Amino acid sequence: METEGSMESNSKIHLDGFKKGQVLNSEFVFRDIRFLDDLEVERKSVFLRLDLNIPIKRTLKNEVDDSLISKNDRLQKSLPTLRYLLERKAKVVIGAHLGRPKTKEDKERLSLEPIARNLRECLNLEEVLLTESPLSSASKVLLSGLKSPGQVLMLENLRWDISEEQNLSSLALILSECVDIYINDAFGASHRKHASLCNLPRSFQRRGMGFLMKKEIEVLNKISKSQDSFALILGGNKVRDKIGVIRSLVEKKRDFLLLVGGAMAYTFLLANGASVDPVNVEREKLEEARDLLYHLRRQGRVLLPLDHRILPIGESGPLRLTEGPEIEEGWRGVDIGPKTIKLYRDSLQDRKVMFWNGPMGIFEKEGCEEGTFQMLDVLSKSDAFTVIGGGDSAVAAQKRECGEKMDHISTGGGASLEYLKAASLPGIEALRG
Ligand code: ADP
Ligand code: MG
């Protein structure tokens, strides 16, 4: 929607201030980086950082639902790198994180034990050893005892130790003594400046990038380099995570069309002058949204929802449709409405490249999935180069059973947006040299 809101002209974006050299050209992102198959890994001990941050669902009897873990994209797409190492009889030490453990209870709930168990099954191994904690002296003994070729040891959730998120050298001190090679294949975590991704690789002369990470970057490079008409479809619920990529595309003067849905649309609608329910508005991002809209609307590059599916606040029914973009008090938007779906569908017809991150509504909830599913259908049927990024978006594609119709489903939402924005990630930079 392009309603006439009260747009301020005191823009904070400096369209002409964008210097070419500020952002790495996508061709150069692999400069001075070695890949797994450039390194001699035969019978060596290798630390492999993976993104195995997979939602663990439990039954009423508190049993872990293993099938959801073994079928998870992140786990499945990590297997080629692992198999490559095991075929070459490397001794593998896996480092990974799970969730955001803060309390003691979180820690127990967020153990990597179910992940290690499912990896063992998928790789058909006799065992995948799991350390009791990521960094204890017992882990050190286990590590130095890694003898037999093809052995796999997994460190417990790296985020159990504060050194991980603080990017400290504790892990490097332990691992550099007993490991020969560092490999990062954790694309979905590589936008974080954390120890296993940034501090640790710098302690290894022999360091490189795994197969999954390389593939993810190549796909995103294709999007960045493409001269074809590009659509960026953003939804979901964190404006603060998504606004940076919009700003960067505006600053780069990229020719693109932005479609906004999901909870984040309400911040943009309010910034555009529409009165909407405050439940989903990120007030601290209003000003930035207003500023971006000012540029995007002048260039005809943005569409916002024309109508919504709404629910009374605090209740689960009944669902109603609004006439226009406004949402009356006491109600909250839970999905885009049919007028918006039609507008978005029509606007995507001539697009040759599409990147989508974040569902159009609360698709997990019955009656609120239409917008997300209809948009997924548009992407499925399109001849465009289609890429989906983000954990929840991937789940939506799985639910609609259309994942295989996309050109690529990225294992990283935040990481792919950050990569589209900056043409690199902290975890890539740490591999250079
Ligand atoms: P992704 O994991 O694909 O990057 P996000 O994590 O940003 O996506 O957002 C996904 C979540 O956003 C989903 O759980 C979905 O229910 C929620 N969401 C989408 N639209 C709305 C809305 N209108 N109101 C509240 N939550 C929403
Ligand atoms: Mg998510």
Side-chain angles (χ1 to χ4, degrees), residues 76-176:
Q76 283 296 326
K77 288 181 172 169
S78 298
L79 297 178
T81 288
L82 271 164
R83 289 200 179 104
Y84 179 92
L85 289 168
L86 293 175
E87 277 160 18
R88 281 154 189 79
K89 307 267 184 280
K91 295 168 257 181
V92 186
V93 181
I94 299 175
H97 76 275
L98 189 59
R100 296 184 173 170
K102 296 283 176 257
T103 63
K104 198 166 167 280
E105 292 75 47
D106 284 349
K107 268 195 172 182
E108 279 162 25
R109 192 172 46 82
L110 295 170
S111 161
L112 284 175
E113 191 277 323
I115 310 277
R117 187 175 63 231
N118 280 280
L119 262 188
R120 175 176 58 76
E121 295 259 314
C122 291
L123 290 166
N124 224 348
L125 291 173
E126 257 169 52
E127 64 177 357
V128 169
L129 284 171
L130 180 69
T131 63
E132 261 176 42
S133 81
L135 296 176
S136 67
S137 46
S139 317
K140 204 169 164 179
V141 172
L142 269 176
L143 278 165
S144 50
L146 265 184
K147 285 202 179 70
S148 44
Q151 192 172 358
V152 180
L153 172 71
M154 184 184 255
L155 302 181
E156 243 311 352
N157 190 349
L158 293 173
R159 287 195 189 166
W160 277 14
D161 196 280
I162 50 157
S163 63
E164 173 65 0
E165 291 182 66
Q166 294 182 0
N167 198 21
L168 305 177
S169 55
S170 326
L171 192 60
L173 288 172
I174 292 185
L175 288 177
S176 51

Side-chain angles (χ1 to χ4, degrees), residues 237-238 242 357 359 390-393:
N237 55 15
K238 280 163 266 158
K242 295 171 187 177
N357 172 245
D392 295 295
S393 309

Side-chain angles (χ1 to χ4, degrees), residues 5 48 76 111 137 142 153 157 197 199 213 299 314 323 347:
L48 175 62
Q76 283 296 326
S111 161
S137 46
L142 269 176
L153 172 71
N157 190 349
L197 299 150
N199 182 299
M213 180 117 158
Q299 299 156 350
E323 273 298 314
S347 74

Side-chain angles (χ1 to χ4, degrees), residues 106-356:
D106 284 349
K107 268 195 172 182
E108 279 162 25
R109 192 172 46 82
L110 295 170
S111 161
L112 284 175
E113 191 277 323
I115 310 277
R117 187 175 63 231
N118 280 280
L119 262 188
R120 175 176 58 76
E121 295 259 314
C122 291
L123 290 166
N124 224 348
L125 291 173
E126 257 169 52
E127 64 177 357
V128 169
L129 284 171
L130 180 69
T131 63
E132 261 176 42
S133 81
L135 296 176
S136 67
S137 46
S139 317
K140 204 169 164 179
V141 172
L142 269 176
L143 278 165
S144 50
L146 265 184
K147 285 202 179 70
S148 44
Q151 192 172 358
V152 180
L153 172 71
M154 184 184 255
L155 302 181
E156 243 311 352
N157 190 349
L158 293 173
R159 287 195 189 166
W160 277 14
D161 196 280
I162 50 157
S163 63
E164 173 65 0
E165 291 182 66
Q166 294 182 0
N167 198 21
L168 305 177
S169 55
S170 326
L171 192 60
L173 288 172
I174 292 185
L175 288 177
S176 51
E177 280 177 27
C178 44
V179 173
D180 306 309
I181 295 168
Y182 172 98
I183 297 291
N184 182 357
D185 211 16
F187 173 74
S190 289
H191 56 313
R192 310 271 182 216
K193 283 189 187 128
H194 290 175
S196 60
L197 299 150
C198 290
N199 182 299
L200 180 63
R202 298 190 203 273
S203 314
F204 288 88
Q205 256 195 339
R206 282 176 284 172
R207 53 182 187 251
M209 185 182 286
F211 299 135
L212 171 61
M213 180 117 158
K214 184 180 179 211
K215 169 85 199 297
E216 296 268 17
I217 294 170
E218 283 171 345
V219 168
L220 294 174
N221 281 349
K222 209 166 156 177
I223 293 183
S224 298
K225 277 199 314 198
S226 165
Q227 300 294 318
D228 287 328
S229 55
F230 173 47
L232 177 65
I233 307 153
L234 293 180
N237 55 15
K238 280 163 266 158
V239 179
R240 60 190 174 279
D241 289 353
K242 295 171 187 177
I243 206 158
V245 71
I246 307 173
R247 174 171 288 273
S248 131
L249 291 172
V250 170
E251 287 180 346
K252 284 183 213 167
K253 299 184 184 171
R254 173 88 192 246
D255 177 16
F256 75 113
L257 176 69
L258 172 69
L259 307 187
V260 189
M264 71 175 277
Y266 305 107
T267 303
F268 279 85
L269 280 168
L270 189 63
N272 203 33
S275 86
V276 292
D277 74 288
V279 186
N280 290 312
V281 171
E282 284 181 43
R283 297 224 161 249
E284 66 285 4
K285 287 291 161 197
L286 258 182
E287 197 53 40
E288 197 175 348
R290 191 171 290 137
D291 187 46
L292 284 171
L293 281 174
Y294 169 75
H295 291 284
L296 290 166
R297 289 180 64 248
R298 274 199 331 178
Q299 299 156 350
R301 286 188 180 155
V302 63
L303 297 175
L304 300 180
L306 292 175
D307 60 346
H308 317 273
R309 210 167 284 277
I310 54 171
L311 269 180
I313 289 176
E315 291 177 43
S316 57
L319 282 159
R320 256 183 45 195
L321 283 173
T322 62
E323 273 298 314
E326 314 259 314
I327 297 179
E328 66 195 83
E329 235 183 286
W331 293 73
R332 65 185 176 120
V334 289
D335 195 9
I336 53 174
K339 292 179 198 163
T340 314
I341 293 173
K342 180 169 184 330
L343 174 75
Y344 286 10
R345 185 194 293 129
D346 292 347
S347 74
L348 289 173
Q349 291 312 316
D350 61 340
R351 297 283 142 176
K352 297 280 186 288
V353 179
M354 302 184 203
F355 180 85
W356 180 15

